[in-house]
Amino acid sequence: MQTTFQPGDVKHFTRHVRAEDCAAFDSGRVHPVYATFALGRDAEWCCRLFVLEMKTEEEEGIGTMLTVEHLSPALQGSEVHFTATITALQGNEIICSYEAHVGNRLIARGTQGQKILLKEKLERRFAAL
């Protein structure tokens, strides 16, 4: 693992809300609004951008936690801007806070954690399941 970042470092990601990002379940589409689970997926991706630069070829990141406080809706077609900030580096774990905005409106915030592990170790753990 390369320690190229430190607490306070920031990454950005933008999502244009698509139909497949809106709330839908087995019973059908709920509404044309960015689903909380899709928002969580994109928040995790924004935080993972750090991991992609920190891991070596022999390593991979694996999520350890995700919180989503969904504060305001984003309609299909909206442009959602994510900002992830490293809050802690603890050994091989990266903890980030994130915010998601549509324009100046805060639509979500939360935290996300990932550990960087050897791929070989992950494969052994998965095989044991």
Side-chain angles (χ1 to χ4, degrees):
M1 180 176 125
Q2 305 169 57
T3 53
T4 54
F5 297 104
Q6 60 187 356
D9 286 344
V10 172
K11 290 283 187 185
H12 300 278
F13 171 71
T14 299
R15 164 67 68 203
H16 290 87
V17 180
R18 309 162 296 190
E20 59 264 36
D21 300 321
C22 295
F25 297 93
D26 291 342
S27 60
R29 187 171 166 149
V30 178
H31 49 61
V33 175
Y34 199 22
T36 304
F37 56 81
L39 195 153
R41 174 201 64 212
D42 294 337
E44 186 157 346
W45 173 253
C46 189
C47 297
R48 181 172 165 76
L49 294 175
F50 289 110
V51 171
L52 295 176
E53 291 185 45
M54 294 175 75
K55 70 182 187 74
T56 66
E57 273 300 309
E58 297 80 30
E59 296 173 319
E60 187 50 86
I62 188 166
T64 59
M65 61 125 174
L66 175 66
T67 67
V68 178
E69 187 178 0
H70 201 161
L71 304 167
S72 181
L75 297 174
Q76 184 176 330
S78 296
E79 187 173 84
V80 180
H81 299 281
F82 288 85
T83 302
T85 305
I86 295 178
T87 58
L89 292 169
Q90 302 165 345
N92 64 331
E93 188 170 25
I94 302 166
I95 307 296
C96 293
S97 63
Y98 69 87
E99 290 188 344
H101 289 83
V102 173
N104 291 326
R105 183 169 45 93
L106 177 65
I107 67 160
R109 63 181 167 220
T111 56
Q112 199 273 339
Q114 292 185 67
K115 284 188 178 180
I116 297 176
L117 301 171
L118 289 172
K119 289 178 183 178
E120 179 182 298
K121 185 175 182 178
L122 284 173
E123 290 168 7
R124 281 196 314 265
R125 282 188 181 177
F126 297 151
L129 298 176

